[in-house]
Amino acid sequence: MYQFRNYPQNEMVMSMPMNQGNLQSQPMFNFEPYVYETLRSVIGKVLIVSTVRDTLRGKLMDVKPDHVVLNIGDETFFVHTCQIVSVMPD
């Protein structure tokens, strides 16, 4: 009937089979409201963002529910929120 998949964040996500009448699929993503609101409060500040791959230092330009936009020098980086391990002001 329903399938459960275990994602890296150890959250259970329910998915429905595609052949159930006129149900439309909707995108699913992790949304952490406290992280989102905290990051929105420091837009325009220089931050050190640790991700699962690297550490970035740059000016926070924008925050969306699924990613942040960092300006580092002349480059713009889009970092998925689920990849962020820690954030601290510079």
Side-chain angles (χ1 to χ4, degrees), residues 21-84:
N22 60 0
L23 294 176
Q24 296 179 357
S25 64
Q26 296 183 1
M28 300 167 120
F29 58 89
N30 293 331
F31 176 70
E32 299 188 25
Y34 292 111
V35 174
Y36 175 77
E37 288 300 321
T38 301
L39 287 171
R40 283 186 49 86
S41 72
V42 292
I43 289 177
K45 307 253 192 244
V46 177
L47 302 175
I48 298 171
V49 179
S50 296
T51 68
V52 294
R53 292 187 78 186
D54 207 356
T55 300
L56 304 169
R57 180 186 177 273
K59 185 175 183 180
L60 183 64
M61 302 305 291
D62 197 10
V63 178
K64 301 294 183 194
D66 63 335
H67 71 277
V68 298
V69 181
L70 286 174
N71 188 2
I72 302 173
D74 294 335
E75 307 265 340
T76 302
F77 290 84
F78 300 87
V79 181
H80 282 279
T81 308
C82 64
Q83 297 293 313
I84 295 174

